[in-house]
Amino acid sequence: MHQRKPEKNTSEDTALYGTQYFAAPEQLLGYGSSSPATDIYGLGATFNYLITGLYASQIISPGRYKSVIEKSVKMDPENRYQSIEEFEQAILAV
């Protein structure tokens, strides 16, 4: 694992570390700030792995949760669910 502390007076608060395939790109690459969407990425990646046994970069579950997982693991955090409540509602709506 790599770890980097952000410089003072920057908008970054994310250290470079995480588990490959499960950590959000902003955690692994160290750009931007952490947000609930950062955790949503990890939840979506884990959910996909539990269903398929494969990483989201290999395959997204083709089943009923496909759209939920796809949105959860978007590269851009702005395009993911923005809260756990939003993520939960999407799962329950399937």
Side-chain angles (χ1 to χ4, degrees):
M1 285 194 224
H2 298 68
Q3 193 167 13
R4 177 182 67 89
K5 292 185 179 181
E7 297 177 24
K8 290 184 179 185
N9 299 323
T10 68
S11 63
E12 294 181 10
D13 70 350
T14 303
L16 274 175
Y17 65 91
T19 303
Q20 187 178 9
Y21 305 113
F22 297 97
E26 59 270 24
Q27 286 180 306
L28 291 177
L29 303 175
Y31 66 86
S33 296
S34 294
S35 70
T38 304
D39 295 330
I40 297 298
Y41 185 98
L43 285 172
T46 301
F47 191 38
N48 186 73
Y49 188 81
L50 290 171
I51 293 170
T52 66
L54 298 170
Y55 304 120
S57 61
Q58 295 173 303
I59 188 172
I60 299 290
S61 172
R64 62 193 273 195
Y65 297 109
K66 180 179 180 161
S67 63
V68 174
I69 294 168
E70 282 179 332
K71 184 168 181 168
S72 299
V73 297
K74 295 280 187 188
M75 290 293 288
D76 185 342
E78 296 286 322
N79 295 327
R80 296 181 207 137
Y81 297 104
Q82 298 301 301
S83 70
I84 191 63
E85 293 82 12
E86 190 180 347
F87 179 76
E88 177 186 26
Q89 288 303 311
I91 290 173
L92 293 174
V94 175

